[in-house]
Amino acid sequence: MAKNDRVLILGGAGFIGSNIAKKFVSQNYKVTIIDGFLPQTGANLKNLRSILNKVKLIRKKVEKIDNLEKQVADNNLIIDSMGWTRHISGMENPLYDLELNLLSHISLINALRKLPGVKVIYLGSEGQYEPFDVQGINKQAAETYFKSFSKIYGFSTLSLRISHCFGQNQPTKDTDIGLVGLFIRNLLTHRLIRVFDKGRKRNFIYVEDLTEIIFLLSKREFSGFSSLDVNAYSIVLEELAQKLIRIVGFGEYKKEVLPKNLVVNDNYHSLDTVELKKMIGQFPKHQFDKALIATVNYFKENL
């Protein structure tokens, strides 16, 4: 198998990472996954159940891998999907957020120093725009490290600033599971959906659309450092609540004033996908209601 058919996915047992792994396995790539299965992350062996016998899985924190440089060198494409997506928890535990959203990526960057020509796709967040919380600050810092070190050491980095992702393999338990997940869980457990303030809007992307975009980008040439906005849908949250109530078949929502403790995390940015479309054309996109239906069915099976 050619080196071009080998991909290393860091954080590959998590929500987005596991979906990326499935996509590349389906395209006959040799896939290596590194994941430390850290507490409060989405890492779960169940996410890899259908492909576990088709991938190489290294169950270690990236900082603890002695031969990380060799693992990286054995692959032409590196997908960095490591991270901690809990905004509120990050504000409560900024050191843990720092460990997962910055220090782990610096460990990867250190391994890339002697590997010019390697291609890296880094999964960032739209929260990096005017970051108001710890997660956004650390994700932006990680992107800045990639930007600086790729220029100095000659590896190539494509940083994706991704909107709120939802779909299969996303966490269904605990708090801070994303707006789509939270709304669905509240409905299925007969709880009220709380919609804060009239007209509040958010960007979203279905995980299958995101993985297809990442796969298409992996087939394109890129060098140096560049960043892309990745978004599929923008919708007012009250409309999202109404759609989900129709899909589930029951439930209610209530409009409330945004609590002061959530204001810090309340940043909406209009994402521009023009550059993304220049690279891959008009990217694939599921019809929004169908993506929501698939996610509701996933929650029904996994709550």
Side-chain angles (χ1 to χ4, degrees):
M1 180 174 287
K3 184 177 175 182
N4 287 346
D5 295 328
R6 297 172 183 264
V7 58
L8 171 64
I9 305 172
L10 296 102
F15 165 32
I16 297 176
S18 62
N19 279 283
I20 296 170
K22 289 176 183 178
K23 177 64 182 181
F24 279 87
V25 167
S26 74
Q27 299 300 312
N28 299 314
Y29 277 68
K30 184 174 182 180
V31 175
T32 298
I33 291 171
I34 294 176
D35 201 303
F37 290 82
L38 299 175
Q40 301 182 52
T41 66
N44 194 320
L45 268 181
K46 184 174 69 173
N47 294 340
L48 301 172
R49 183 169 46 199
S50 64
I51 60 169
L52 200 53
N53 63 339
K54 299 177 182 179
V55 301
K56 177 183 178 182
L57 176 61
I58 301 172
R59 297 190 59 166
K60 286 186 178 180
K61 290 177 63 176
V62 65
E63 298 94 328
K64 301 293 184 181
I65 297 176
D66 295 331
N67 63 340
L68 182 59
E69 186 176 307
K70 182 181 184 305
Q71 294 291 341
V72 172
D74 285 344
N75 297 272
N76 188 57
L77 174 66
I78 314 300
I79 300 178
D80 180 358
S81 62
M82 297 182 291
W84 196 33
T85 60
R86 298 189 177 191
H87 295 266
I88 297 173
S89 298
M91 296 298 290
E92 296 169 349
N93 192 349
L95 291 179
Y96 195 50
D97 193 284
L98 177 72
E99 179 183 347
L100 273 61
N101 284 329
L102 180 56
L103 298 183
S104 59
H105 307 285
I106 294 175
S107 293
L108 170 61
I109 290 169
N110 278 333
L112 290 163
R113 287 172 181 258
K114 298 179 182 179
L115 300 171
V118 173
K119 291 167 56 177
V120 181
I121 298 178
Y122 165 67
L123 273 58
S125 165
E126 71 167 307
Q128 295 171 211
Y129 287 103
E130 300 179 12
F132 292 107
D133 66 4
V134 170
Q135 190 215 42
I137 291 168
N138 287 328
K139 295 293 281 185
Q140 179 59 29
E143 182 186 277
T144 303
Y145 271 92
F146 275 112
K147 183 176 182 179
S148 176
F149 279 70
S150 61
K151 181 178 180 181
I152 295 170
Y153 294 106
F155 61 88
S156 299
T157 302
L158 190 58
S159 178
L160 307 184
R161 296 173 174 178
I162 301 167
S163 61
H164 298 270
C165 189
F166 66 95
Q168 293 85 342
N169 291 359
Q170 75 173 95
T172 60
K173 300 178 181 179
D174 301 321
T175 59
D176 231 353
I177 62 171
L179 280 168
V180 171
L182 180 62
F183 282 11
I184 292 173
R185 187 176 67 186
N186 281 1
L187 290 174
L188 294 178
T189 55
H190 302 280
R191 299 176 186 174
L192 190 70
I193 291 179
R194 300 163 69 197
V195 176
F196 297 124
D197 293 347
K198 183 178 180 180
R200 284 176 70 238
K201 199 173 187 180
R202 282 293 180 271
N203 301 308
F204 297 98
I205 190 164
Y206 182 44
V207 71
E208 289 188 15
D209 295 335
L210 176 59
T211 55
E212 182 66 21
I213 288 169
I214 290 170
F215 180 74
L216 291 174
L217 287 171
S218 75
K219 309 296 284 184
R220 302 296 188 267
E221 291 299 322
F222 58 88
S223 60
F225 173 89
S226 55
S227 62
L228 296 172
D229 287 352
V230 181
N231 180 43
Y233 323 100
S234 296
I235 186 170
V236 173
L237 295 183
E238 185 175 2
E239 294 178 18
L240 174 63
Q242 292 168 348
K243 280 181 177 290
L244 288 171
I245 289 170
R246 286 196 298 269
I247 290 168
V248 172
F250 55 83
E252 297 179 345
Y253 73 91
K254 179 182 179 182
K255 290 184 284 187
E256 298 181 1
V257 177
L258 184 68
K260 290 183 179 179
N261 68 312
L262 294 183
V263 171
V264 69
N265 300 309
D266 189 51
N267 55 330
Y268 169 78
H269 187 89
S270 180
L271 298 179
D272 184 352
T273 57
V274 170
E275 295 302 317
L276 175 62
K277 291 174 183 176
K278 285 181 182 178
M279 287 193 71
I280 63 172
Q282 185 65 42
F283 55 83
K285 184 168 70 172
H286 284 71
Q287 200 272 337
F288 190 39
D289 283 14
K290 290 183 178 180
L292 292 176
I293 289 169
T295 308
V296 167
N297 290 335
Y298 164 75
F299 267 76
K300 286 179 179 179
E301 294 171 2
N302 291 277
L303 270 179

